[in-house]
Amino acid sequence: MMKPVGRWVPFFFVLWATWETALSVTRYSIPEEMERGSVVANLAADLGLDVSGLAQREVKLDIFHNNKYLDINKRTGELFIVEKMDRESLCNTKTMTCFLKLDLIIESPLRIFNIELGITDINDNAPHFRRDKIELDVSESATPGERFSLPNAFDPDVGANTVKTYKLSESEHFTVDIHSGSDGTKYVDLVLMKALDREEKAVHNLILTAIDGGVPARSGTASIIVRVQDTNDNAPQFDQAVYSLNMSENSPAGTVVIKLNATDADEGPNADLTYSFTLYTSEKTQEMFWLNSKTGEIAVKGTIDYEDLKIFEMFLEAKDNGPVPLSGQCRVTVYVKDMNDNYPEITIKSLKNTVEENIPVGSVIALVGVSDRDTGDNGKVNLTMNKSLPFLLNQTSDYLYELLVSEPLDRELVPEYEIMLVVTDKGNPRLSDNETITVHLLDVNDNAPQFPQTFYTIPVMENNAPGALLSSLTAIDPDLHENQYLVYFIIEKEIVNTSMSMLFSINPENGNLYALKTFDYEIEKEFLFHIEARDSGVPPFSSNVTVHIIIMDQNDNTPLIVSPWRAHGSVVEEKIPRSTDKGTLIAKVIAIDSDSVHNSRITYQFLHNTDATLFSLDQYNGEIRTTRMFSYRDSRHQQLVVIAKDNGEPALSATVTIKLSTVETALKTYADMTEVPLGYDIFSDLNLYLVIGLGSVSFLLLITILVTIVLKCQKTKPSKAAPPCRNSVISERNSTIADSTLVSNDAYWYSLFLAETRKGKLVVRQPVPKGARYMVSSIPRSTGLTETSDSAASTLQVSTAT
């Protein structure tokens, strides 16, 4: 047996070589990359050739593509490898096995054998990427789930030996998603799992590994550099991901289908959006609809025909103008419907457009007919009102309605009603029409006049001019015409046998209230009465209001000096011992004022004082006292002029002149002057009646002050020389207002009581004879006599005992 040229192929390679003959073609199959010298097959044995004759015969191997890879050993008849064969270089096919055609030519005689050598792929190539470094710019605002396409790896091997999977280096932000193409090619996307933060990490370096399915597996890697962009990090968002709407066929060109609204939380150029159709939107759809790239408004561009296409589906994208543009997508589905092209109609068959506001509930206002020229559901109509009103539609037949009053009407609340009747058919889409009718309400007298207030307090200054306007009391009646015309009356009421109509008058037309007389605060202080307002309707309605007139005080009364008493225009003369001590009470000026408390507050001042160092005057109680003892240089005659001024605006005043004469003779003591027991003087029959009368009046009006006076009277008088006897007659107010001023005058009586008792007298109020105004009596303790005088003037007589 002849040895083959070159070295023998190991046994396990020979096992791969198989052969078959069919249709005069001998086929063998070997793996690629067999070593040089490896035997593929023994052609002599397989083809039944005599090995011994091969050397003498011309034997050659004709390979169609290239004959540098194979040759035949003419001594042994074996086909062996001359040069390693690479399946990927020899074959462009992607099948697992590619075939190499060759002819074995033997001459003498000529014989040709067709041979096919199948070269089977082995995993002799590792996957590799077209680029070793992949650079991606990713916005930090990219949302998890966002995908980024990566270039796939290439492996010239086929079948199981080609790329099977991809792996990504460990990363908390990214992963890969592998999907297959229709030809089995593996594609890979980079998927964002966790939001990026450029400030935390600006660059992510990743390694992408492609692994094939061979045994052992081979792999190739590529570096991925992800640069996180710090700008536009908010993608546009549509209000809805899917919009569904209906549209009638034959809608005219330019009809707005929908106005899309996408928002971008960014600012400036990053928020400027551009709307566009995506590649998923068919050309037919883009021919039928027009998209405004700035506003997102979709309008009809072509003719929409329900029979041509019933559904249009548009895929739209809103992309911002940031450095790294972001986009949002939505889908709009338009359903085309057959058009209901006849509008329903309303016919007003009968109408009462003017009714009284008290029309009964259930009354018929109008008869309304409806119609629609369409048929089926498109011809069925329904009549309604566009808003809630006090009316009701009652359907009497398929196409006739009654408009009824459903609630009581009130013209003062709503004077007229605009009733919009809306008729709608049941087509799809529904069509409607409307008709407006106006119902006016006539007024009836159903409202009573109303005053803005239930109680009026009106201040009136005393001494007002008769006929002066006090106030305007106007009532309101929401009715109309004669039902609104009001007449005002004063409800009669008598006060002290005087009718209110004699004191006040009201204008019956406008409610102006006038005073018919001049009021005096010192006589009348307030009035309370009612005013009625009555309308002119049938039947008439009325209401009344309470009026409280308050008379305000003016400073119109001059203070009246009641102590010391003097004849009109005369001068008060007093005699005092020259040895009077410092602080001795010389005289007490008392004035009264019949005005109100504020205006009647009296203060006292010196208008003239012969010697300002000798006498002082208390401005509040009017007491004149010595400020030092008399000296031999002091004049024997002193003149004092005292002014009593009230607190009004402007202030009124009165004056009194007191002439003082000093004497050298000593005065009798108080005990010496009291020759008759005090009890006898006080409790004489006449004085007893006077005390009982004074006590009765004081007890009813000021019991507290009376108790104080009694306690003061019961105090033991000091044992020293009594002051000179003085008789005083003091004038009070007239009897018609005496009772109402006792409270303010009791302080005066108490002051007078103290002054007179210091002089050895008992002061008692007595009833005044008819015709006189006021009277007070002073009783000298030494005589028991009572002196009385009219109040026209007041005099204090000061005499000294010799």
Side-chain angles (χ1 to χ4, degrees):
M1 180 177 179
M2 297 181 61
K3 294 182 180 180
V5 179
R7 60 187 181 87
W8 286 91
V9 180
F11 179 73
F12 66 89
F13 282 112
V14 177
L15 292 178
W16 283 8
T18 60
W19 64 276
E20 62 176 331
T21 59
L23 301 176
S24 300
V25 177
T26 302
R27 293 184 174 88
Y28 297 94
S29 178
I30 62 171
E32 64 173 329
E33 301 293 340
M34 289 183 66
E35 295 293 333
R36 278 183 276 181
S38 300
V39 176
V40 176
N42 193 323
L43 294 179
D46 293 338
L47 299 175
L49 299 176
D50 184 10
V51 176
S52 60
L54 290 178
Q56 290 77 24
R57 301 172 69 182
E58 290 188 9
V59 179
K60 64 179 181 179
L61 196 63
D62 185 15
I63 302 176
F64 290 166
H65 298 288
N66 198 333
N67 60 357
K68 69 176 181 177
Y69 297 104
L70 297 169
D71 202 357
I72 187 170
N73 190 330
K74 295 179 181 180
R75 290 180 295 172
T76 61
E78 292 175 334
L79 183 65
F80 64 94
I81 303 297
V82 177
E83 188 70 36
K84 282 186 179 182
M85 288 183 290
D86 185 9
R87 189 198 69 82
E88 290 75 24
S89 300
L90 294 174
C91 306
N92 293 325
T93 179
K94 293 186 178 181
T95 57
M96 191 67 179
T97 304
C98 73
F99 293 94
L100 187 63
K101 293 183 179 182
L102 51 93
D103 292 334
L104 179 63
I105 302 173
I106 302 175
E107 296 183 358
S108 302
L110 180 62
R111 295 185 65 184
I112 300 175
F113 298 93
N114 296 325
I115 300 172
E116 286 187 358
L117 180 61
I119 303 174
T120 305
D121 181 54
I122 65 172
N123 191 25
D124 59 342
N125 293 285
H128 68 277
F129 292 90
R130 292 180 176 83
R131 290 183 294 169
D132 294 335
K133 184 168 68 174
I134 303 170
E135 296 183 355
L136 293 176
D137 290 331
V138 180
S139 172
E140 65 174 329
S141 61
T143 56
E146 194 166 341
R147 309 170 74 91
F148 307 93
S149 296
L150 298 176
N152 58 305
F154 174 74
D155 191 333
D157 294 326
V158 296
N161 297 326
T162 191
V163 177
K164 183 179 181 181
T165 186
Y166 294 88
K167 289 185 178 179
L168 186 68
S169 59
E170 184 177 353
S171 172
E172 63 174 334
H173 292 88
F174 295 96
T175 186
V176 292
D177 181 33
I178 304 168
H179 50 93
S180 301
S182 58
D183 59 352
T185 303
K186 300 292 184 181
Y187 297 96
V188 61
D189 287 342
L190 185 65
V191 181
L192 181 64
M193 295 190 304
K194 182 179 178 182
L196 300 173
D197 187 350
R198 191 201 65 84
E199 289 72 23
E200 181 180 336
K201 190 173 183 180
V203 178
H204 294 262
N205 294 303
L206 307 174
I207 301 297
L208 179 63
T209 303
I211 304 172
D212 63 20
V215 179
R218 293 176 179 269
S219 63
T221 61
S223 174
I224 302 176
I225 300 175
V226 179
R227 290 188 294 266
V228 181
Q229 301 297 309
D230 189 36
T231 53
N232 187 25
D233 56 351
N234 289 285
Q237 295 289 333
F238 284 91
D239 293 341
Q240 298 174 220
V242 178
Y243 296 86
S244 297
L245 52 98
N246 297 325
M247 189 172 199
S248 300
E249 62 174 331
N250 301 324
S251 295
T255 302
V256 176
V257 178
I258 189 173
K259 184 175 181 180
L260 299 175
N261 182 45
T263 57
D264 193 317
D266 295 322
E267 295 180 350
N270 296 331
D272 293 337
L273 303 182
T274 301
Y275 299 88
S276 62
F277 291 112
T278 68
L279 298 178
Y280 296 107
T281 304
S282 66
E283 293 183 1
K284 176 67 175 177
T285 300
Q286 295 186 45
E287 291 175 359
M288 302 304 296
F289 297 95
W290 171 79
L291 172 63
N292 188 321
S293 61
K294 295 298 182 183
T295 64
E297 188 176 82
I298 300 176
V300 176
K301 183 168 65 173
T303 301
I304 298 177
D305 189 354
Y306 174 80
E307 288 71 29
D308 184 19
L309 193 61
K310 298 177 176 58
I311 298 176
F312 291 94
E313 197 168 48
M314 290 171 275
F315 298 88
L316 300 107
E317 178 182 69
K319 183 180 293 185
D320 60 30
N321 293 326
V324 180
L326 299 178
S327 62
Q329 293 78 31
C330 75
R331 185 180 68 194
V332 178
T333 303
V334 179
Y335 297 94
V336 182
K337 299 293 182 182
D338 278 335
M339 184 170 60
N340 178 28
D341 55 355
N342 287 291
Y343 285 85
E345 296 178 354
I346 298 176
T347 303
I348 305 300
K349 298 184 178 299
S350 175
L351 173 64
K352 296 179 181 178
N353 54 9
T354 302
V355 296
E356 291 187 341
E357 62 177 319
N358 62 349
I359 184 172
V361 174
S363 300
V364 177
I365 299 296
L367 290 177
V368 183
V370 293
S371 61
D372 194 318
R373 290 182 297 170
D374 292 325
T375 59
D377 288 340
N378 294 334
K380 295 179 180 178
V381 295
N382 183 38
L383 184 66
T384 59
M385 291 184 291
N386 69 325
K387 59 183 178 180
S388 178
L389 294 172
F391 299 96
L392 176 67
L393 285 169
N394 179 38
Q395 186 174 7
T396 58
S397 66
D398 290 342
Y399 298 99
L400 188 63
Y401 290 81
E402 290 179 339
L403 182 62
L404 308 175
V405 178
S406 61
E407 299 176 14
L409 305 180
D410 190 348
R411 188 208 61 81
E412 287 71 33
L413 295 178
V414 182
E416 68 177 26
Y417 289 92
E418 296 286 339
I419 306 173
M420 179 180 287
L421 301 176
V422 180
V423 59
T424 306
D425 64 22
K426 296 184 179 180
N428 189 10
R430 295 189 176 187
L431 300 180
S432 62
D433 195 7
N434 62 77
E435 181 77 19
T436 300
I437 61 176
T438 302
V439 176
H440 299 275
L441 301 185
L442 298 178
D443 183 55
V444 296
N445 191 29
D446 57 350
N447 291 280
Q450 294 294 328
F451 286 92
Q453 301 172 221
T454 58
F455 190 90
Y456 287 87
T457 300
I458 304 174
V460 178
M461 191 64 68
E462 68 171 329
N463 302 319
N464 60 291
L469 176 65
L470 304 183
S471 181
S472 181
L473 309 178
T474 304
I476 299 173
D477 192 323
D479 292 323
L480 292 178
H481 309 306
E482 67 276 2
N483 299 328
Q484 189 185 38
Y485 298 147
L486 303 182
V487 180
Y488 298 89
F489 306 91
I490 294 178
I491 300 177
E492 286 297 334
K493 177 182 178 182
E494 289 190 358
I495 300 178
V496 193
N497 297 325
T498 301
S499 172
M500 277 296 164
S501 59
M502 299 177 64
L503 302 176
F504 302 97
S505 172
I506 190 169
N507 188 318
E509 295 182 356
N510 57 26
N512 289 344
L513 182 65
Y514 300 91
L516 298 181
K517 61 167 288 187
T518 300
F519 297 108
D520 187 352
Y521 172 82
E522 287 72 32
I523 299 176
E524 304 116 339
K525 291 183 171 56
E526 62 180 7
F527 300 93
L528 192 68
F529 56 92
H530 298 281
I531 290 178
E532 179 181 300
R534 182 182 303 164
D535 63 27
S536 303
V538 178
F541 287 92
S542 64
S543 64
N544 60 66
V545 66
T546 302
V547 179
H548 184 202
I549 303 293
I550 299 177
I551 308 301
M552 309 296 290
D553 182 48
Q554 279 186 333
N555 190 28
D556 57 347
N557 290 282
T558 303
L560 178 64
I561 297 177
V562 296
S563 176
W565 185 91
R566 82 264 187 232
H568 182 67
S570 63
V571 178
V572 178
E573 295 183 355
E574 299 279 0
K575 293 182 179 181
I576 59 175
R578 196 169 182 82
S579 59
T580 300
D581 293 331
K582 174 183 177 181
T584 302
L585 177 65
I586 301 303
K588 182 179 179 69
V589 179
I590 300 176
I592 61 174
D593 193 318
S594 58
D595 288 321
S596 63
V597 175
H598 177 76
N599 293 328
S600 65
R601 191 176 301 155
I602 306 296
T603 56
Y604 304 90
Q605 295 176 348
F606 278 129
L607 279 183
H608 175 73
N609 187 351
T610 304
D611 189 346
T613 65
L614 189 56
F615 300 100
S616 66
L617 172 63
D618 190 305
Q619 64 173 339
Y620 297 110
N621 60 26
E623 292 182 351
I624 302 174
R625 295 181 181 272
T626 58
T627 57
R628 60 180 175 82
M629 295 186 64
F630 289 93
S631 67
Y632 69 93
R633 295 187 185 89
D634 294 327
S635 173
R636 296 180 60 84
H637 300 283
Q638 300 286 335
Q639 181 172 328
L640 306 177
V641 180
V642 178
I643 182 172
K645 185 184 298 183
D646 63 22
N647 196 41
E649 279 294 333
L652 303 178
S653 62
T655 61
V656 62
T657 301
I658 303 174
K659 289 186 176 181
L660 299 177
S661 301
T662 59
V663 296
E664 300 293 341
T665 305
L667 297 176
K668 292 184 179 181
T669 64
Y670 180 78
D672 295 337
M673 295 176 64
T674 311
E675 299 176 355
V676 181
L678 180 62
Y680 177 82
D681 289 327
I682 294 177
F683 294 103
S684 64
D685 292 339
L686 178 59
N687 290 340
L688 180 60
Y689 295 139
L690 295 177
V691 170
I692 292 174
L694 174 62
S696 300
V697 174
S698 301
F699 178 81
L700 294 174
L701 301 175
L702 259 178
I703 187 170
T704 303
I705 296 179
L706 179 61
V707 172
T708 304
I709 294 175
V710 172
L711 292 176
K712 293 286 185 178
C713 290
Q714 291 179 351
K715 288 184 178 181
T716 305
K717 300 296 181 291
S719 176
K720 66 177 185 178
C725 295
R726 302 175 185 181
N727 296 327
S728 301
V729 178
I730 302 171
S731 165
E732 287 190 303
R733 306 171 64 182
N734 64 50
S735 60
T736 60
I737 60 170
D739 291 342
S740 64
T741 58
L742 283 176
V743 175
S744 61
N745 289 330
D746 277 338
Y748 155 67
W749 292 117
Y750 174 57
S751 300
L752 180 61
F753 178 82
L754 292 180
E756 296 301 304
T757 52
R758 288 194 187 102
K759 302 172 187 177
K761 297 180 182 180
L762 176 65
V763 180
V764 181
R765 282 195 242 189
Q766 290 184 348
V768 182
K770 185 174 182 180
R773 296 183 67 189
Y774 301 105
M775 177 170 35
V776 69
S777 298
S778 65
I779 306 170
R781 293 180 183 272
S782 60
T783 63
L785 297 178
T786 301
E787 299 178 2
T788 306
S789 175
D790 188 272
S791 62
S794 302
T795 303
L796 175 62
Q797 297 179 349
V798 181
S799 62
T800 59
T802 57

